[in-house]
Amino acid sequence: MTAISSASAAFTGEDPGNRLFGPVPDVTGDRGYADDHPARVGFFTDTSVCIGCKACEVACKEWNLLPMDDAKGTVDALGLTGASYDNTGMLGANSWRHVAFVEQSRAVDLPMPTVGLPGADGGQRPLEDPPVVHPGVPASATTAEQTDPQRTSSGDREIRWLMSSDVCKHCTHAACLDVCPTGSLFRTEFGTVVVQEDICNGCGYCVPACPYGVIDQRQDDGRVFKCTLCYDRLTDGLQPACASACPTESIQFGDLDALQARADERLAALQTKGVEGARLYGRDETDGVGGAGAFFLLLDEPEVYGLPPDPVVTTRDLPAMWRSVGAGAAMVVGLVASAFVGRRR
């Protein structure tokens, strides 16, 4: 365990590369861990196979003893929005996993009438896939590129449901960690970001610092909470509860480099099959947070899922800001000194 801030390296002069943003080859070693530290781990969430069962939400709450709350964070209240199957509404201090339900409707061109018996062509798209999507997951009706159960039609409208289990991104450059004055937030030996609830003083600086709006304060005592990527389970050699409970392996846990390679292959397979809008989110280490420890395969724009399209770590410009402040202060001191010297003459 360490309380070394990711901002400290940039200000000590031992970080000529300025690691407040940009790629970091070894984010765990950069925080002071020995060379034999474990490999960085994370989540790859493949939303194309998410069925919205919410097993991840339940497993997270059960393992971490999180109280029931509604979409506004009110504890011990059963929240029903009335407009969606989404009863948790958003990530919060008591909901560290949130399954988004997005319903889309768009006009489609109706097919021209054909000659012959209905279903003479079998009515089925040929299965061209190998028999599995991910290891252990058969290429059944859960695959988006085949029968696409998330899509149906009504009249001349095509309707589809997009489902995605959102979570803390465990950023390479975690602004929440940078601004924490007590060391409550720290980088673990697995490369994840964890809050120590017994050290948090409830200042709330980390809340606006998060570019994703993930970390949240509890209303009763003001302390902040978020996903720990089941740090206690990791230290016992177990995978996080949500990944264990996911029946379709939409949530995959493991070595981050291996997950990224698997995600690249999955994206290429979907794009080869003509799946529109497929893209990776949080995979690029040159993005505004240096890449995420929890990244996603989406089927539409990030905004559709409630994700910021181009998140940037909020501490990125701190060195430039401090340089400007220093230059301004030096100029003021110079003016005062020159005025004092001029008066004496």
Side-chain angles (χ1 to χ4, degrees), residues 231-242:
Y231 183 49
D232 52 345
R233 291 175 63 91
L234 297 187
T235 55
D236 287 336
L238 302 174
Q239 66 175 346
C242 57

Side-chain angles (χ1 to χ4, degrees), residues 241-295:
C242 57
S244 298
C246 182
T248 64
E249 293 193 13
S250 171
I251 301 173
Q252 300 178 43
F253 165 80
D255 183 287
L256 190 59
D257 291 336
L259 290 178
Q260 291 173 342
R262 194 181 306 168
D264 292 340
E265 294 178 1
R266 175 63 173 158
L267 177 64
L270 289 176
Q271 291 177 336
T272 301
K273 296 178 183 302
V275 177
E276 298 178 358
R279 72 201 67 199
L280 294 178
Y281 179 81
R283 161 69 174 87
D284 185 3
E285 63 181 9
T286 63
D287 65 13
V289 299
F295 63 101

Side-chain angles (χ1 to χ4, degrees), residues 2 6 93 132 145 153 157 229 237 246 273 297-298 301:
T2 181
S6 65
V132 295
E145 69 273 34
S153 60
R157 308 288 297 178
L229 218 141
C246 182
K273 296 178 183 302
L297 189 153
L298 306 178
E301 298 284 349

